[in-house]
Amino acid sequence: MNFPESVTFKLIDKDGKVPVKNIAVLLILYAHKKNNYSIEAKISDNNGELIFTKQDCLKGIESSRKFYLMDYTSNLEECLPRVSIELISKETIEFVLKDRKENKDIYLGFWDCSEEYLNALNSTDNDKYIAKAYDFSEFDLWQNKILEIDLERKSKLVSGKLVSELPN
């Protein structure tokens, strides 16, 4: 994988066609051998945008390889020429929050355990959208444009009828 210096993704509400702020997503790198890498979650800004950098990828790979010695072997160049942006479920966020708070001393230096980051993760609006992965090729990443992702709102029952929630 030849990851660009940075890639900007923009989260868009599929129905409302408006930017979606305050959504946490992971960047998934597909390893050539052993396990794939999940690069630290980022949260979309007021324009629905978030940026993953090559440095984010290198740091995430290094942290994973150092922390989980036997589980990871591929470096960035050995990763397959595709990535996914994964909208994290609220349940996964809750697990990460609990785990990082309980094991802060162990994770220090590998992953962000700061109160600021954990509070930001805790207050995301991920529970409003369907948790799923969106795939991109290496070619897509090098198009030198903002890559848009149409997020699907969760549906809910209103007066016994299934309806999609409207954008804020």
Side-chain angles (χ1 to χ4, degrees), residues 6 9 25 34-35 59 66 70 96 106 121 126 144 167:
S6 68
F9 295 92
V25 301
K34 290 205 176 187
N35 296 314
K59 183 179 185 297
K66 284 182 177 178
M70 302 301 287
V96 168
I106 297 170
L121 266 184
N126 285 43
N144 211 14

Side-chain angles (χ1 to χ4, degrees), residues 38-96:
S38 296
I39 305 305
E40 184 98 78
K42 298 216 178 197
I43 300 170
S44 58
D45 66 15
N46 287 336
N47 295 318
E49 294 180 1
L50 41 91
I51 298 169
F52 282 98
T53 66
K54 185 174 192 169
Q55 190 58 39
D56 293 331
C57 296
L58 294 171
K59 183 179 185 297
I61 288 171
E62 179 183 7
S63 292
S64 295
R65 289 178 70 178
K66 284 182 177 178
F67 193 82
Y68 302 104
L69 296 174
M70 302 301 287
D71 295 339
Y72 297 93
T73 60
S74 297
N75 61 36
L76 182 57
E77 292 78 24
E78 293 169 331
C79 286
L80 301 177
R82 64 185 178 104
V83 301
S84 294
I85 292 293
E86 182 180 334
L87 191 143
I88 313 166
S89 71
K90 201 63 172 176
E91 295 78 20
T92 299
I93 290 173
E94 289 168 3
F95 171 80
V96 168

Side-chain angles (χ1 to χ4, degrees), residues 151-168:
L151 302 183
E152 298 175 58
R153 283 199 165 255
K154 290 183 178 177
S155 298
K156 65 178 181 178
L157 285 175
V158 175
S159 302
K161 295 181 181 179
L162 193 62
V163 295
S164 288
E165 296 182 39
L166 297 174
N168 296 338

